[in-house]
Amino acid sequence: MSTYKELLKQREVLEQQIKDARQHEIAQAVAQVRGLVAEFGLTAQDVFPSGKARTSTVHAKVAAKYRNPTTGATWTGRGKPPKWIQGQDRAKFVII
C-alpha cells in the first residue's frame, strides 16, 4: 500500500497531466472551430447571435385609462394608483 506522501505526489503528477491534456485539447478545439469558421465564412453574429430575438420578456405597453385634468398625467389602472386619483371616484378621470 502507498504512503500518504506518495499518494500526494501521484496526485500532483496527475493534476499536471490533466492540465496539460486540457490545454492540448482546447488548442485542438480552437483550431477546428477556426477552420470551420474560415471554411464556411461565418461571422461572430452567425456563431453567437445576440439575444434580441427573444421577445417573450418584452411586454406590450398598455393604453392609459385615466387622466388627471389639471396636470394631464395619466395612469393605466395597473399597479399602485397615483396620489391624484387615490380615494376619489375614478369615473371622473376616465379617458373617453
Side-chain angles (χ1 to χ4, degrees):
M1 187 160 129
S2 300
T3 66
Y4 177 70
K5 288 185 179 185
E6 290 172 345
L7 291 173
L8 288 176
K9 183 65 177 168
Q10 289 175 3
R11 181 174 72 178
E12 288 177 19
V13 171
L14 281 174
E15 286 175 351
Q16 185 61 42
Q17 289 176 348
I18 290 169
K19 180 181 173 185
D20 294 342
R22 184 175 190 279
Q23 288 176 345
H24 178 70
E25 290 182 21
I26 286 174
Q28 285 180 329
V30 169
Q32 183 180 5
V33 168
R34 286 183 178 157
L36 290 170
V37 167
E39 180 181 346
F40 292 100
L42 300 173
T43 65
Q45 183 65 28
D46 294 332
V47 178
F48 304 106
S50 66
K52 293 181 181 178
R54 300 179 207 174
T55 58
S56 62
T57 58
V58 178
H59 301 285
K61 293 209 175 209
V62 178
K65 291 183 181 180
Y66 306 100
R67 181 183 321 268
N68 183 345
T70 55
T71 64
T74 59
W75 180 50
T76 62
R78 293 184 177 183
K80 184 178 178 183
K83 291 184 179 185
W84 54 264
I85 202 169
Q86 286 180 350
Q88 299 186 40
D89 180 25
R90 294 183 182 172
K92 63 182 180 180
F93 297 102
V94 173
I95 298 174
I96 298 174

